[in-house]
Amino acid sequence: MAVTEPVNDPALKLVQQESRVDWVRLRTLLVLRWLAILGQTVAVVIAAFYLGLRVELGLCFMAIGASVVSNLIAMSIFPENQRLSDRDAMLTLLFDLSQLAFLLFLTGGLNNPFALLILAPVTISATALTLRSTFILGVLAIFLISCLALWYLPLTTVAGEVLQLPSLFILGFWSSIVIGILFLSAYARRVALETHRMSQALLATQMALAREQKLTDLGGVVAAAAHELGTPLATIKLVSSELLDELDGQPELAEDAALIRDQADRCRDILRSMGRAGKDDLHLRRAPFGAVIKEAADPHADRGIELHYDFHPSDPDDADDPQQQPHIWRKPEVIHGVRNLVQNAVDFAQEQVWISGEWDETSLRLRITDDGKGFPPDLLGRLGDPFLRRRSPGPSDGRPGYEGMGLGLFIAKTLLERSGAKVRFLNAGDPFLTDGDAAGLTGAMVEVTWPDNAFLADRPDEPLGQNMQITD
């Protein structure tokens, strides 16, 4: 068994994109630039008029004025909700980086403690832009900081004293900034990428759950319609059959009566076929534990892999009726989650898949085991995370040419945990499993455990209520 998901699931197409285009609003960058302008102005004024440093005020205010002009132009041309493409955002940050480097050149280079702010544009790029843009900005930032370590206008006091750090401190400051650029950009990008991937995967989960909910509702309505229309259709067939017997001497009318009977039979067959998507229990919303699991696994029953079912109480001696299964709600998240797990097992099984369920007074437990090669040991601890790929390329464990992203197991795990379950991934050959847990099986094993109060339903004893309209 390996990490898979339904390749024909339209929800997954939305999350297979790694594009980060149009993430950043122009307004966000303009606000940050205004803050930078304010800080730069205050720093230059304090340095020149309160600290008594000789600063090239004309050039400094020219650099600050360039930022002010660029902000005013951007605000007048573009709307407030303008979102920047990756290229435009990179050029905006490139301007800020160059402007800051020019100010540092005028104010002592790396002798200026504010040189640390050169990390800001690169970090912003790492969180919002593509790897290519971040790489360009990072290389340029390292180049500029290296130039500032060698060439700059020294800071001097009114008395002519030069404020100069020792060369060793300059080298250490340069090293710390370069390391900061590399580390912070990599760290920020990794965190932002994980957040982005998680949001995409959760979107796919929500879409899958919404689709499963609609299918469940539609199946229930069809089954209810088949149940409600059964009596009038039977009446039509009975009356048409009686008319057919009484119209032996009138062939034209007899033909019409036969047509009515045949069409009633056809309506019954159509409703019976459509009603297979729903359940025939009284309330169409709850069923025995094994029936719900079999319903979830049924789409994969004819794929050439034999499915073995076994549902029994954990301790048959303590059960009032070992054949009586607990009734549970037919929650879409349970059906869709179990279906994904069964698909994963069938995809990578050799010949057989075992689906077993146990229950006691405190919990329900479901195990899905296949006879395949099992989960890759290096991924076992990370199963259930979205966009999970093996670190080293290798031959496919199941389907040739297939590359999974882990969304199938992520969706299954998320949906089942939403129903109150705890999901555990392991291999049946794990030496730490007891003989009772392994039961002589091989391959991958998924164990799902629900507390007894998660989604148990009382046995339906009351008649079917009035059908309710489906709402969005």
Side-chain angles (χ1 to χ4, degrees):
M1 184 184 286
V3 182
T4 114
E5 64 282 326
V7 293
N8 58 348
D9 193 338
L12 302 185
K13 296 180 181 179
L14 297 178
V15 297
Q16 293 177 359
Q17 303 293 331
E18 292 294 332
S19 175
R20 304 180 128 205
V21 177
D22 299 346
W23 270 28
V24 182
R25 288 194 309 166
L26 176 62
R27 177 183 175 83
T28 301
L29 294 183
L30 294 183
V31 170
L32 293 176
R33 185 179 290 172
W34 282 123
L35 293 176
I37 290 171
L38 177 62
Q40 291 168 359
T41 303
V42 171
V44 170
V45 170
I46 291 177
F49 298 102
Y50 291 93
L51 299 180
L53 300 178
R54 291 183 177 179
V55 180
E56 296 290 341
L57 291 178
L59 293 176
C60 288
F61 284 120
M62 182 186 71
I64 296 174
S67 293
V68 174
V69 171
S70 65
N71 260 19
L72 294 177
I73 292 176
M75 292 174 61
S76 62
I77 294 179
F78 301 103
E80 290 187 359
N81 60 350
Q82 175 73 25
R83 292 192 177 272
L84 299 177
S85 66
D86 180 77
R87 175 178 173 273
D88 293 338
M90 184 197 68
L91 293 177
T92 302
L93 293 175
L94 186 62
F95 172 83
D96 295 335
L97 187 64
S98 303
Q99 188 260 0
L100 177 60
F102 181 66
L103 273 179
L104 292 175
F105 169 78
L106 297 175
T107 55
L110 294 189
N111 295 285
N112 188 335
F114 291 103
L116 189 66
L117 293 177
I118 207 164
L119 295 170
V122 184
T123 304
I124 294 174
S125 175
T127 58
L129 304 184
T130 61
L131 181 61
R132 174 178 172 272
S133 298
T134 303
F135 178 78
I136 293 175
L137 287 171
V139 170
L140 181 61
I142 293 175
F143 172 76
L144 291 175
I145 209 69
S146 300
C147 293
L148 290 173
L150 301 175
W151 301 287
Y152 54 88
L153 297 180
L155 284 173
T156 59
T157 63
V158 177
E161 180 182 0
V162 177
L163 301 180
Q164 178 75 36
L165 291 174
S167 299
L168 182 60
F169 281 85
I170 293 293
L171 177 61
F173 196 23
W174 175 86
S175 301
S176 65
I177 293 178
V178 171
I179 293 174
I181 290 174
L182 298 176
F183 175 76
L184 289 180
S185 59
Y187 184 82
R189 180 170 180 82
R190 180 64 181 267
V191 172
L193 187 60
E194 288 292 333
T195 303
H196 174 57
R197 286 179 171 179
M198 183 62 69
S199 64
Q200 286 182 307
L202 289 174
L203 173 62
T205 302
Q206 292 173 351
M207 294 183 65
L209 179 59
R211 183 170 58 256
E212 189 68 26
Q213 180 70 61
K214 289 296 184 182
L215 292 175
T216 300
D217 291 340
L218 180 60
V221 169
V222 171
H227 174 78
E228 297 293 339
L229 294 177
T231 300
L233 286 175
T235 303
I236 294 174
K237 180 179 179 180
L238 176 62
V239 172
S240 60
S241 298
E242 293 177 352
L243 287 175
L244 187 61
D245 294 336
E246 297 178 2
L247 295 175
D248 290 337
Q250 305 181 45
E252 294 182 358
L253 295 178
E255 182 178 352
D256 292 338
L259 179 61
I260 293 174
R261 184 187 63 184
D262 294 341
Q263 294 302 312
D265 289 338
R266 184 182 177 188
C267 290
R268 180 199 61 196
D269 295 338
I270 291 174
L271 288 173
R272 181 181 301 170
S273 175
M274 294 175 62
R276 290 174 184 170
K279 295 298 295 180
D280 58 355
D281 58 289
L282 292 178
H283 281 271
L284 306 173
R285 288 292 179 268
R286 47 192 171 184
F289 179 50
V292 175
I293 301 303
K294 288 181 180 179
E295 177 188 357
D298 186 64
H300 305 290
D302 56 352
R303 294 180 53 192
I305 300 297
E306 186 175 0
L307 303 183
H308 302 276
Y309 298 98
D310 181 22
F311 300 97
H312 59 270
S314 300
D315 190 352
D317 296 335
D318 294 340
D320 296 335
D321 183 2
Q323 303 299 323
Q324 180 62 51
Q325 300 181 15
H327 281 66
I328 63 174
W329 297 109
R330 293 179 58 251
K331 290 187 176 182
E333 53 263 44
V334 174
I335 295 175
H336 193 82
V338 173
R339 184 170 297 161
N340 272 15
L341 295 180
V342 173
Q343 177 190 350
N344 198 66
V346 170
D347 282 343
F348 295 94
Q350 301 293 329
E351 297 178 354
Q352 302 178 86
V353 171
W354 295 270
I355 303 174
S356 62
E358 298 180 359
W359 59 88
D360 54 29
E361 296 180 355
T362 60
S363 64
L364 291 172
R365 184 168 64 176
L366 171 69
R367 280 200 185 105
I368 301 174
T369 312
D370 63 58
D371 60 350
K373 298 179 180 179
F375 290 117
D378 58 318
L379 297 184
L380 196 56
R382 298 187 292 133
L383 291 175
D385 292 340
F387 301 95
L388 182 63
R389 290 187 174 92
R390 304 196 66 166
R391 293 185 180 274
S392 58
S396 174
D397 292 331
R399 293 171 288 178
Y402 180 79
E403 182 182 10
M405 297 187 299
L407 280 177
L409 290 185
F410 172 80
I411 290 175
K413 184 173 183 290
T414 303
L415 292 179
L416 291 173
E417 288 178 346
R418 175 172 175 165
S419 70
K422 293 183 178 180
V423 183
R424 191 164 63 126
F425 301 97
L426 57 160
N427 288 318
D430 192 328
F432 294 99
L433 290 179
T434 63
D435 293 337
D437 290 335
L441 304 179
T442 61
M445 176 186 294
V446 181
E447 184 178 274
V448 186
T449 305
W450 292 273
D452 63 344
N453 58 353
F455 66 141
L456 284 175
D458 296 333
R459 294 192 61 187
D461 296 326
E462 62 272 18
L464 179 67
Q466 182 178 3
N467 293 332
M468 302 298 293
Q469 182 179 359
I470 295 179
T471 58
D472 294 331

